[in-house]
Amino acid sequence: MTNEGKKAEEELGSDGLPGHDYFLDAVKHIDEAVANNSIAAGAAKGLIYSLVETLGTMVGDPDLPAHLKSGYMGALDLAVDLESKLSK
């Protein structure tokens, strides 16, 4: 297995879901890329839209344990903030 494959497996929890830190890192990475003008605004908007949709689905899952839900909610809030910032 490649290093990338091992790293991807490590980012998944025992339940097979990525932790909220994974999503926080993604949002922060996109925010930094926008600030550095190293990503097109349209691409950033598309990525953030996808993150918001994914996190919204995860947060809306009634079977998601409360401790996971709160972490995902924090990541979702950050993604929504960035989405509104990109829309301006």
Side-chain angles (χ1 to χ4, degrees):
M1 180 179 294
T2 66
N3 285 341
E4 284 182 18
K6 288 179 185 176
K7 186 174 185 214
E9 281 183 10
E10 291 170 3
E11 292 172 346
L12 298 179
S14 59
D15 54 8
L17 296 173
H20 67 277
D21 288 339
Y22 180 81
F23 291 102
L24 287 171
D25 289 345
V27 173
K28 289 176 186 175
H29 180 75
I30 295 166
D31 192 24
E32 289 171 6
V34 169
N36 295 328
N37 291 319
S38 62
I39 188 173
K45 287 178 185 179
L47 290 168
I48 287 297
Y49 176 83
S50 295
L51 282 170
V52 167
E53 291 298 307
T54 299
L55 286 164
T57 299
M58 294 173 87
V59 166
D61 182 356
D63 294 329
L64 187 67
H67 70 282
L68 290 176
K69 189 174 290 211
S70 66
Y72 290 141
M73 280 295 299
L76 178 58
D77 290 343
L78 187 62
V80 168
D81 288 345
L82 180 54
E83 186 176 43
S84 67
K85 181 175 137 182
L86 289 171
S87 294
K88 292 181 183 179

Coordinates of all heavy atoms in Angstrom, one line a residue:
M1 N 0.8 -1.2 0.0 CA 0.0 0.0 0.0 C 0.9 1.2 0.0 O 1.9 1.3 0.7 CB -0.9 0.0 1.2 CG -1.8 1.1 1.3 SD -2.9 1.1 2.8 CE -4.0 -0.3 2.4
T2 N 0.5 2.3 -0.7 CA 1.3 3.5 -0.8 C 1.1 4.3 0.5 O 0.2 4.1 1.3 CB 0.8 4.3 -2.0 OG1 -0.5 4.8 -1.8 CG2 0.9 3.6 -3.3
N3 N 2.0 5.3 0.6 CA 1.8 6.2 1.8 C 0.5 6.9 1.8 O -0.1 7.2 2.8 CB 3.0 7.1 1.9 CG 4.3 6.5 2.3 OD1 4.2 5.4 3.0 ND2 5.4 7.1 2.0
E4 N 0.1 7.3 0.6 CA -1.2 8.0 0.5 C -2.4 7.1 0.9 O -3.3 7.6 1.6 CB -1.5 8.5 -0.9 CG -0.6 9.7 -1.3 CD -0.9 10.2 -2.7 OE1 -2.0 9.8 -3.3 OE2 -0.1 10.9 -3.3
G5 N -2.3 5.9 0.5 CA -3.4 4.9 0.9 C -3.4 4.7 2.4 O -4.4 4.6 3.1
K6 N -2.2 4.6 3.1 CA -2.1 4.4 4.5 C -2.6 5.7 5.2 O -3.4 5.6 6.2 CB -0.7 4.2 4.9 CG -0.2 2.8 4.5 CD 1.3 2.6 5.0 CE 1.8 1.3 4.5 NZ 3.2 1.1 4.8
K7 N -2.3 6.9 4.7 CA -2.7 8.1 5.3 C -4.2 8.2 5.3 O -4.9 8.6 6.2 CB -2.1 9.3 4.7 CG -2.4 10.6 5.4 CD -1.6 11.8 4.8 CE -2.0 12.9 5.7 NZ -2.1 14.2 5.1
A8 N -4.8 7.9 4.1 CA -6.3 7.9 4.0 C -7.0 7.0 4.9 O -8.0 7.4 5.5 CB -6.7 7.6 2.5
E9 N -6.4 5.8 5.2 CA -7.0 4.9 6.1 C -6.9 5.4 7.5 O -7.8 5.3 8.3 CB -6.3 3.5 6.0 CG -6.8 2.7 4.9 CD -6.1 1.3 4.9 OE1 -5.5 1.0 5.9 OE2 -6.3 0.6 3.9
E10 N -5.8 6.1 7.9 CA -5.6 6.6 9.2 C -6.6 7.8 9.5 O -6.9 8.0 10.6 CB -4.2 7.1 9.4 CG -3.2 6.0 9.4 CD -1.7 6.5 9.3 OE1 -1.5 7.7 9.3 OE2 -0.8 5.7 9.3
E11 N -7.1 8.5 8.5 CA -8.0 9.6 8.7 C -9.4 9.2 8.9 O -10.2 10.0 9.3 CB -7.9 10.5 7.5 CG -6.5 11.2 7.4 CD -6.4 12.0 6.1 OE1 -7.1 11.8 5.1 OE2 -5.4 12.8 6.0
L12 N -9.7 7.9 8.7 CA -11.0 7.3 9.0 C -11.1 6.8 10.4 O -10.1 6.2 10.9 CB -11.4 6.2 8.0 CG -11.4 6.7 6.5 CD1 -11.7 5.5 5.6 CD2 -12.4 7.8 6.3
G13 N -12.2 7.0 11.1 CA -12.4 6.5 12.4 C -12.7 5.0 12.3 O -12.9 4.4 11.3
S14 N -12.9 4.4 13.5 CA -13.3 3.0 13.6 C -14.6 2.7 12.9 O -14.9 1.6 12.5 CB -13.3 2.5 15.0 OG -14.2 3.3 15.8
D15 N -15.5 3.8 12.8 CA -16.8 3.7 12.2 C -16.7 3.8 10.7 O -17.7 3.8 10.0 CB -17.8 4.6 12.8 CG -17.3 6.1 12.8 OD1 -16.2 6.3 12.1 OD2 -17.9 6.9 13.4
G16 N -15.5 4.1 10.1 CA -15.3 4.3 8.7 C -15.6 5.7 8.2 O -15.5 6.0 7.0
L17 N -15.9 6.6 9.1 CA -16.2 8.0 8.8 C -14.9 8.9 9.1 O -14.2 8.6 10.0 CB -17.3 8.5 9.6 CG -18.7 7.9 9.4 CD1 -19.7 8.4 10.4 CD2 -19.2 8.2 7.9
P18 N -14.7 9.9 8.2 CA -13.6 10.8 8.6 C -14.0 11.6 9.8 O -15.2 12.0 9.9 CB -13.5 11.6 7.3 CG -14.8 11.5 6.6 CD -15.4 10.2 7.0
G19 N -13.0 12.0 10.6 CA -13.3 12.8 11.8 C -13.5 14.2 11.3 O -13.3 14.6 10.2
H20 N -14.1 15.0 12.3 CA -14.4 16.4 12.0 C -13.1 17.2 11.7 O -13.2 18.2 10.9 CB -15.2 17.0 13.1 CG -14.5 17.2 14.4 ND1 -14.4 16.2 15.3 CD2 -13.9 18.3 14.9 CE1 -13.7 16.7 16.3 NE2 -13.4 17.9 16.1
D21 N -12.0 16.8 12.2 CA -10.8 17.5 11.9 C -10.4 17.4 10.5 O -9.8 18.4 9.9 CB -9.6 16.9 12.8 CG -9.7 17.3 14.2 OD1 -10.4 18.3 14.5 OD2 -9.1 16.6 15.1
Y22 N -10.7 16.3 9.8 CA -10.5 16.1 8.4 C -11.2 17.2 7.6 O -10.6 17.9 6.7 CB -11.0 14.8 8.0 CG -10.8 14.4 6.6 CD1 -9.6 13.9 6.1 CD2 -11.9 14.5 5.7 CE1 -9.5 13.6 4.8 CE2 -11.8 14.1 4.4 CZ -10.5 13.7 3.9 OH -10.4 13.3 2.6
F23 N -12.5 17.5 8.0 CA -13.3 18.5 7.3 C -12.8 19.9 7.7 O -12.8 20.8 6.8 CB -14.7 18.4 7.6 CG -15.3 17.1 7.0 CD1 -15.6 16.0 7.8 CD2 -15.6 17.1 5.6 CE1 -16.1 14.8 7.2 CE2 -16.1 15.9 5.1 CZ -16.4 14.8 5.9
L24 N -12.4 20.1 8.9 CA -11.9 21.4 9.3 C -10.6 21.8 8.6 O -10.4 22.9 8.1 CB -11.6 21.5 10.8 CG -12.8 21.5 11.8 CD1 -12.4 21.3 13.2 CD2 -13.6 22.8 11.6
D25 N -9.8 20.8 8.4 CA -8.5 21.0 7.6 C -8.8 21.3 6.2 O -8.2 22.2 5.6 CB -7.6 19.7 7.7 CG -7.0 19.5 9.1 OD1 -7.0 20.5 9.9 OD2 -6.5 18.4 9.3
A26 N -9.8 20.7 5.6 CA -10.2 20.9 4.2 C -10.7 22.4 4.1 O -10.3 23.1 3.1 CB -11.3 20.0 3.8
V27 N -11.6 22.8 5.0 CA -12.1 24.2 4.9 C -11.0 25.2 5.1 O -10.9 26.2 4.3 CB -13.2 24.4 6.0 CG1 -13.6 25.9 6.0 CG2 -14.4 23.5 5.7
K28 N -10.1 25.0 6.1 CA -9.0 25.9 6.3 C -8.0 25.9 5.1 O -7.5 27.0 4.7 CB -8.2 25.5 7.5 CG -9.0 25.7 8.8 CD -8.2 25.2 10.0 CE -9.1 25.3 11.3 NZ -8.4 24.7 12.4
H29 N -7.8 24.8 4.5 CA -6.9 24.7 3.3 C -7.5 25.6 2.1 O -6.8 26.3 1.5 CB -6.7 23.3 2.8 CG -5.9 23.1 1.6 ND1 -4.5 23.2 1.7 CD2 -6.2 22.8 0.4 CE1 -4.0 23.1 0.5 NE2 -5.0 22.8 -0.4
I30 N -8.8 25.4 1.9 CA -9.5 26.2 0.9 C -9.4 27.7 1.2 O -9.2 28.5 0.3 CB -10.9 25.7 0.6 CG1 -10.9 24.2 0.1 CG2 -11.7 26.6 -0.3 CD1 -12.3 23.6 0.2
D31 N -9.7 28.0 2.4 CA -9.7 29.4 2.9 C -8.3 30.0 2.6 O -8.1 31.1 2.1 CB -10.0 29.5 4.3 CG -10.3 31.0 4.8 OD1 -10.6 31.8 3.9 OD2 -10.2 31.2 6.0
E32 N -7.2 29.3 3.0 CA -5.9 29.8 2.7 C -5.6 29.9 1.3 O -4.9 30.8 0.8 CB -4.9 28.8 3.4 CG -4.9 28.8 4.9 CD -4.0 27.7 5.5 OE1 -3.3 27.0 4.8 OE2 -4.1 27.6 6.8
A33 N -6.0 28.9 0.5 CA -5.8 29.0 -1.0 C -6.5 30.2 -1.6 O -5.9 30.9 -2.5 CB -6.3 27.7 -1.7
V34 N -7.7 30.6 -1.1 CA -8.4 31.7 -1.6 C -7.6 33.0 -1.2 O -7.4 33.9 -2.0 CB -9.8 31.8 -1.0 CG1 -10.5 33.1 -1.3 CG2 -10.7 30.7 -1.7
A35 N -7.2 33.0 0.1 CA -6.4 34.2 0.6 C -5.1 34.4 -0.2 O -4.7 35.5 -0.5 CB -6.1 34.0 2.0
N36 N -4.5 33.3 -0.7 CA -3.2 33.4 -1.4 C -3.4 33.5 -2.9 O -2.5 33.4 -3.7 CB -2.4 32.2 -1.1 CG -1.9 32.1 0.3 OD1 -1.7 33.2 1.0 ND2 -1.7 30.9 0.9
N37 N -4.7 33.5 -3.4 CA -5.0 33.5 -4.8 C -4.4 32.3 -5.5 O -4.0 32.4 -6.7 CB -4.6 34.8 -5.4 CG -5.4 36.0 -5.0 OD1 -6.6 35.9 -4.8 ND2 -4.8 37.1 -4.7
S38 N -4.3 31.2 -4.9 CA -3.8 30.0 -5.5 C -4.9 29.0 -6.0 O -4.6 27.9 -6.4 CB -2.8 29.3 -4.6 OG -3.4 28.8 -3.4
I39 N -6.1 29.5 -5.9 CA -7.2 28.7 -6.4 C -8.2 29.6 -7.0 O -8.4 30.8 -6.5 CB -7.9 27.9 -5.2 CG1 -8.9 26.9 -5.8 CG2 -8.5 28.8 -4.2 CD1 -9.5 25.9 -4.7
A40 N -8.9 29.2 -8.1 CA -9.9 30.0 -8.7 C -11.1 30.1 -7.8 O -11.5 29.1 -7.1 CB -10.3 29.4 -10.1
A41 N -11.7 31.2 -7.8 CA -12.9 31.5 -6.9 C -14.0 30.4 -7.2 O -14.6 29.9 -6.3 CB -13.4 32.9 -7.1
G42 N -14.2 30.1 -8.5 CA -15.3 29.2 -8.8 C -15.0 27.8 -8.3 O -15.9 27.1 -7.9
A43 N -13.7 27.4 -8.4 CA -13.3 26.1 -7.8 C -13.5 26.0 -6.3 O -14.0 25.1 -5.8 CB -11.8 25.8 -8.2
A44 N -13.1 27.1 -5.6 CA -13.3 27.2 -4.2 C -14.7 27.1 -3.8 O -15.1 26.4 -2.9 CB -12.7 28.5 -3.6
K45 N -15.6 27.8 -4.6 CA -17.0 27.8 -4.3 C -17.6 26.4 -4.5 O -18.4 25.9 -3.7 CB -17.8 28.7 -5.2 CG -17.6 30.2 -4.8 CD -18.3 31.1 -5.8 CE -18.1 32.5 -5.6 NZ -18.8 33.4 -6.5
G46 N -17.1 25.7 -5.5 CA -17.6 24.3 -5.8 C -17.2 23.4 -4.7 O -18.0 22.5 -4.2
L47 N -15.9 23.5 -4.2 CA -15.4 22.6 -3.2 C -16.2 22.9 -1.9 O -16.6 21.9 -1.1 CB -13.9 22.8 -3.0 CG -13.0 22.3 -4.1 CD1 -11.6 22.8 -3.9 CD2 -13.1 20.8 -4.1
I48 N -16.4 24.1 -1.5 CA -17.1 24.5 -0.3 C -18.5 24.0 -0.3 O -19.1 23.5 0.6 CB -17.0 26.0 0.0 CG1 -15.5 26.3 0.5 CG2 -18.0 26.4 1.1 CD1 -15.1 25.6 1.8
Y49 N -19.1 24.2 -1.5 CA -20.5 23.7 -1.7 C -20.6 22.2 -1.4 O -21.5 21.8 -0.6 CB -21.0 24.0 -3.1 CG -22.4 23.5 -3.3 CD1 -23.5 24.2 -2.9 CD2 -22.6 22.3 -4.0 CE1 -24.8 23.7 -3.1 CE2 -23.8 21.7 -4.2 CZ -25.0 22.4 -3.8 OH -26.2 21.9 -4.0
S50 N -19.7 21.5 -1.9 CA -19.7 20.0 -1.7 C -19.4 19.7 -0.2 O -20.1 18.8 0.3 CB -18.6 19.4 -2.6 OG -18.9 19.5 -3.9
L51 N -18.5 20.4 0.4 CA -18.3 20.2 1.9 C -19.6 20.5 2.7 O -19.9 19.7 3.6 CB -17.1 21.0 2.4 CG -15.8 20.5 2.0 CD1 -14.7 21.5 2.3 CD2 -15.5 19.2 2.7
V52 N -20.2 21.6 2.4 CA -21.4 22.0 3.1 C -22.5 20.9 2.9 O -23.2 20.5 3.9 CB -21.9 23.4 2.7 CG1 -23.4 23.6 3.2 CG2 -21.0 24.4 3.1
E53 N -22.7 20.4 1.7 CA -23.7 19.4 1.4 C -23.3 18.1 2.1 O -24.2 17.4 2.7 CB -23.8 19.1 -0.1 CG -24.4 20.3 -0.9 CD -25.9 20.6 -0.4 OE1 -26.7 19.6 -0.4 OE2 -26.1 21.7 -0.1
T54 N -22.1 17.7 2.1 CA -21.7 16.5 2.8 C -21.8 16.5 4.3 O -22.4 15.6 4.9 CB -20.2 16.1 2.4 OG1 -20.1 16.0 1.0 CG2 -19.7 14.9 3.1
L55 N -21.4 17.6 4.8 CA -21.5 17.8 6.3 C -23.0 17.9 6.7 O -23.4 17.4 7.7 CB -20.7 19.0 6.8 CG -19.2 18.8 6.8 CD1 -18.4 20.1 6.9 CD2 -18.8 17.9 7.9
G56 N -23.7 18.6 5.9 CA -25.2 18.7 6.2 C -25.9 17.4 6.3 O -26.7 17.1 7.1
T57 N -25.5 16.5 5.3 CA -26.0 15.2 5.3 C -25.6 14.4 6.5 O -26.4 13.7 7.2 CB -25.6 14.4 4.0 OG1 -26.1 15.2 2.9 CG2 -26.1 13.0 4.0
M58 N -24.3 14.5 6.9 CA -23.8 13.8 8.0 C -24.5 14.3 9.3 O -24.9 13.5 10.2 CB -22.3 13.9 8.1 CG -21.6 13.2 7.0 SD -19.8 13.5 6.9 CE -19.3 12.2 8.0
V59 N -24.6 15.6 9.5 CA -25.2 16.1 10.7 C -26.7 15.7 10.8 O -27.2 15.5 11.9 CB -25.0 17.7 10.7 CG1 -25.9 18.3 11.7 CG2 -23.6 18.0 10.9
G60 N -27.3 15.6 9.6 CA -28.8 15.3 9.6 C -29.0 13.8 9.9 O -30.2 13.4 10.0
D61 N -28.0 13.0 9.9 CA -28.2 11.5 10.1 C -28.6 11.3 11.6 O -27.9 11.5 12.5 CB -26.8 10.8 9.9 CG -26.9 9.3 10.0 OD1 -28.0 8.8 10.4 OD2 -25.9 8.6 9.7
P62 N -29.8 10.7 11.8 CA -30.3 10.5 13.1 C -29.5 9.4 13.9 O -29.6 9.4 15.1 CB -31.8 10.1 12.9 CG -31.9 9.6 11.5 CD -30.8 10.3 10.8
D63 N -28.8 8.6 13.2 CA -28.0 7.5 13.8 C -26.6 8.0 14.2 O -25.9 7.2 14.8 CB -27.9 6.3 12.9 CG -29.3 5.7 12.7 OD1 -30.2 5.7 13.6 OD2 -29.5 5.1 11.6
L64 N -26.3 9.2 13.9 CA -24.9 9.7 14.2 C -24.8 10.0 15.7 O -25.7 10.8 16.2 CB -24.6 11.0 13.4 CG -23.2 11.5 13.4 CD1 -22.2 10.6 12.8 CD2 -23.2 12.9 12.7
P65 N -23.9 9.5 16.4 CA -23.7 9.7 17.8 C -23.5 11.2 18.1 O -22.9 12.0 17.2 CB -22.5 9.0 18.2 CG -22.3 7.9 17.2 CD -22.9 8.5 15.9
A66 N -24.0 11.7 19.2 CA -24.0 13.1 19.5 C -22.6 13.7 19.5 O -22.4 14.8 19.1 CB -24.7 13.4 20.9
H67 N -21.6 13.0 20.0 CA -20.2 13.5 20.1 C -19.7 13.7 18.7 O -18.9 14.7 18.5 CB -19.3 12.6 20.9 CG -19.0 11.3 20.3 ND1 -19.8 10.2 20.3 CD2 -17.9 10.9 19.7 CE1 -19.3 9.2 19.7 NE2 -18.1 9.6 19.3
L68 N -20.0 12.9 17.7 CA -19.6 13.1 16.4 C -20.4 14.3 15.7 O -19.8 15.1 15.0 CB -19.8 11.8 15.5 CG -18.9 10.7 15.8 CD1 -19.3 9.5 15.0 CD2 -17.5 11.0 15.5
K69 N -21.7 14.3 16.0 CA -22.5 15.4 15.4 C -22.0 16.7 15.8 O -21.9 17.6 15.0 CB -24.0 15.2 15.9 CG -24.9 16.1 15.2 CD -26.4 15.8 15.5 CE -26.7 14.5 14.9 NZ -28.1 14.3 14.6
S70 N -21.6 16.9 17.1 CA -21.2 18.3 17.5 C -19.9 18.7 16.7 O -19.7 19.8 16.4 CB -20.9 18.3 19.0 OG -19.9 17.5 19.4
G71 N -19.0 17.7 16.5 CA -17.7 18.0 15.8 C -18.0 18.4 14.3 O -17.5 19.3 13.8
Y72 N -18.9 17.6 13.7 CA -19.3 17.9 12.3 C -20.1 19.3 12.2 O -19.9 20.0 11.2 CB -20.2 16.8 11.8 CG -19.4 15.5 11.5 CD1 -20.0 14.3 11.8 CD2 -18.1 15.5 11.0 CE1 -19.4 13.1 11.6 CE2 -17.5 14.3 10.8 CZ -18.1 13.1 11.1 OH -17.4 11.9 10.9
M73 N -20.8 19.6 13.3 CA -21.6 20.9 13.2 C -20.6 22.0 13.2 O -20.8 23.0 12.5 CB -22.5 21.0 14.5 CG -23.8 20.3 14.3 SD -24.9 21.0 13.0 CE -25.1 22.6 13.6
G74 N -19.5 21.9 14.0 CA -18.5 23.0 14.0 C -17.8 23.1 12.7 O -17.6 24.3 12.2
A75 N -17.5 22.0 12.0 CA -16.9 22.1 10.7 C -17.9 22.6 9.7 O -17.6 23.4 8.8 CB -16.5 20.7 10.3
L76 N -19.2 22.3 9.8 CA -20.2 22.8 8.9 C -20.4 24.3 9.1 O -20.5 25.0 8.1 CB -21.6 22.1 9.2 CG -22.8 22.6 8.4 CD1 -22.5 22.4 6.9 CD2 -24.0 21.8 8.8
D77 N -20.4 24.8 10.3 CA -20.5 26.2 10.6 C -19.3 27.0 9.9 O -19.5 28.0 9.3 CB -20.5 26.5 12.1 CG -21.8 26.1 12.8 OD1 -22.8 25.8 12.1 OD2 -21.8 26.0 14.0
L78 N -18.1 26.4 10.0 CA -17.0 27.1 9.4 C -17.1 27.1 7.9 O -16.8 28.1 7.3 CB -15.7 26.4 9.9 CG -14.4 27.0 9.5 CD1 -14.2 28.4 10.1 CD2 -13.2 26.1 9.9
A79 N -17.5 26.0 7.3 CA -17.7 25.9 5.9 C -18.8 26.8 5.4 O -18.6 27.5 4.4 CB -18.1 24.4 5.5
V80 N -19.9 27.0 6.1 CA -20.9 27.9 5.7 C -20.4 29.3 5.8 O -20.7 30.2 4.9 CB -22.2 27.7 6.6 CG1 -23.2 28.8 6.5 CG2 -22.8 26.4 6.3
D81 N -19.6 29.7 6.8 CA -19.0 31.0 6.9 C -18.2 31.3 5.7 O -18.2 32.4 5.1 CB -18.2 31.2 8.2 CG -19.0 31.2 9.4 OD1 -20.3 31.5 9.3 OD2 -18.5 31.1 10.5
L82 N -17.3 30.3 5.3 CA -16.5 30.5 4.2 C -17.3 30.6 2.9 O -17.0 31.4 2.0 CB -15.4 29.4 4.0 CG -14.5 29.5 2.9 CD1 -13.7 30.8 2.8 CD2 -13.5 28.4 2.9
E83 N -18.4 29.8 2.8 CA -19.2 29.9 1.6 C -19.9 31.3 1.5 O -19.9 31.8 0.4 CB -20.3 28.8 1.7 CG -21.2 28.7 0.5 CD -22.2 27.6 0.7 OE1 -22.8 27.4 1.8 OE2 -22.4 26.8 -0.3
S84 N -20.3 31.9 2.6 CA -20.9 33.2 2.5 C -19.8 34.2 2.1 O -20.1 35.2 1.4 CB -21.6 33.6 3.7 OG -20.8 33.7 4.8
K85 N -18.6 34.0 2.7 CA -17.5 35.0 2.3 C -17.2 34.9 0.9 O -16.9 35.9 0.2 CB -16.3 34.6 3.2 CG -15.1 35.4 3.0 CD -14.0 35.0 4.0 CE -12.6 34.9 3.4 NZ -11.6 34.4 4.3
L86 N -17.2 33.7 0.3 CA -16.9 33.6 -1.1 C -18.0 34.1 -2.0 O -17.8 34.5 -3.2 CB -16.7 32.1 -1.5 CG -15.4 31.5 -1.0 CD1 -15.4 29.9 -1.2 CD2 -14.2 32.1 -1.6
S87 N -19.2 34.2 -1.5 CA -20.4 34.7 -2.3 C -20.4 36.2 -2.4 O -21.1 36.7 -3.2 CB -21.7 34.2 -1.7 OG -21.8 32.8 -1.8
K88 N -19.6 36.8 -1.6 CA -19.6 38.3 -1.6 C -18.7 38.9 -2.7 O -17.8 38.3 -3.2 CB -19.1 38.9 -0.2 CG -20.1 38.6 0.8 CD -19.6 39.1 2.2 CE -20.6 38.8 3.2 NZ -20.3 39.3 4.5

